[in-house]
Amino acid sequence: MSSAETNAAARIRVRGLAKRYGAFEVFRDVAFDVGQREVVTIVGASGCGKTTLLRCLDGLLPADGGEIWIDAQRLAAPIAGVAMVFQHFGLFPWKTVYDNVAYGLRMAGASREEIGRRVPHFIALVGLAGFEQAYPYQMSGGMQQRCGLARALAIDPAVLLMDEPFAAVDAQTREILQFELLRIWEGKPTSMIFVTHSIEEAVLMGDRVFVLKGRPSRVAETIAIDLPRPRTRATLRLPRFAELRERVWSTLMSEARQAEFQLSGG
Amino acid sequence: MVDSTMPVDPAAAVGKNARAGDALVARLIAGAVILCGWEIVVRLSAPAFVAKPSTIAMAIPRVLVDPAFLASAAATLAGVVEGLAIALVVGTIIGLAIGRSRLVDVTLRLYVNIFYALPMLVVVPLFALWFGYTGAARLVTVVFASVFSIIVNVADGARAVPQEYVEVARSFRAAPLRSLFDVVLPASTPYLLAGLRLAAGRALIGAVVAEFITAVSGIGYFILYNSRTYHESEAFVGVLVLAGFGVGFDSLVGWCTRRFLPWYRRDRGA
């Protein structure tokens, strides 16, 4: 990926990123680029700092070293054009679907007319038409996350950050939402960083899979996913899909052994 | 309303009605026993001017049409409502500040706790000196009596706002001051209403205490005057009306909770 470093088309550039909580180093020396229409998925064992990394990329957490650039802007706090989809949806329970989706636009100072035009469009895009006046507590987890997705998409982000967005919904809903997200992304490809526990999901979604490993963790492996797009349910049946899934799996599993060697080696 | 459209299990509904009916019967019996006991004891052993249920019942229609009483009731109610409104606004702002800012918290918390614990009875003579023996003293007493329970509750609510909501607001680049009223306040409203419920009870006590001490006209003074002039039954009607205010306000807050916070409880419960 050395060509990516000089690639002017990279939307996200991360250099030497480090984060610690007190004496505990979460990650160190994290560096990568993400293209303008590229999906990068991040996998790693629980507690390896995937979500922490994503929160740094959203500007919610200050990094302790290194730099994050989004286009020509160095990130220090949340910036316009970057939207996050939260693991537990992060919907405001006192707002209707309509008002939740409008929230990002309102905070960005959009005009009433623009909100009135964009919000129904994105509610329809995620399949929630007819539920504008529903409250989150009246909806299933899958519907709530559709709403969270619409809220993020409504501000027309150049970068989408997905924090295990489908981890809190049941398996069937998860599959439906994966293909919905792929369909929506194909309609308007953007930079997307997608954190997940699921290897299958990582391979299905990503152009590249980053494997976070070690203590402190870093991007130990980058696996290019050369599956054709658009990706559909048929993608899951490709022999190549199974191969890539095995590769990501064995890369993740080798960590346990490596850690053992590091310990005995001192 | 959402509730009315929800399917109801008929068997459960019947069971619920039966339980509600049982509770009502039990309540009525208990009330009748207390009233009869009171009546009997007073008739057997007390002078004629001592209030008993039968004379109070006869006094009710007389007192309720008395223009002087109605003016008193209106004055007390207006003082309580006005004071609560002031306490609600002031208490909410201070409570939000304490709940969300460590600096404000360490600066003010001690004083809020001191004033919250202070018996309001002891400050009324001071308020009477400062504001005169007027409705203003009553108003200040009501505010003093009620504002601290609102502050304490709103501060607790603001502190308990899920971190996730705050992060969403930051992620979408909401200005912190705007988030205070856009995210923290709505997330704290269940606490706010619980505080208001407490505050309403204290506000009524505050109004009555102020009237006792400053002799400003109102239900409190009406009760005091009538009991000192051997019109005990009339005084008791005033007590009943005060109790009615308390129950009425409590129901109003409860209704507001169900009407405006349908998301609360269900959000975490079911």
Side-chain angles (χ1 to χ4, degrees), chain B residues 227-250:
Chain B
S227 45
R228 283 188 179 167
T229 53
Y230 300 102
H231 295 95
E232 286 202 5
S233 299
E234 284 77 3
F236 259 104
V237 178
V239 173
L240 288 177
V241 170
L242 268 182
F245 284 173
V247 172
F249 206 89
D250 213 47

Side-chain angles (χ1 to χ4, degrees), chain B residues 191-258:
Chain B
Y191 290 80
L192 175 72
L193 287 178
L196 189 59
R197 224 166 176 154
L198 286 175
R202 292 174 59 104
L204 270 182
I205 298 172
V208 169
V209 165
E211 287 169 13
F212 275 15
I213 292 179
T214 64
V216 170
S217 90
I219 295 191
Y221 182 68
F222 176 91
I223 292 168
L224 189 68
Y225 180 82
N226 278 288
S227 45
R228 283 188 179 167
T229 53
Y230 300 102
H231 295 95
E232 286 202 5
S233 299
E234 284 77 3
F236 259 104
V237 178
V239 173
L240 288 177
V241 170
L242 268 182
F245 284 173
V247 172
F249 206 89
D250 213 47
S251 320
L252 187 67
V253 175
W255 180 82
C256 285
T257 309
R258 287 190 302 279

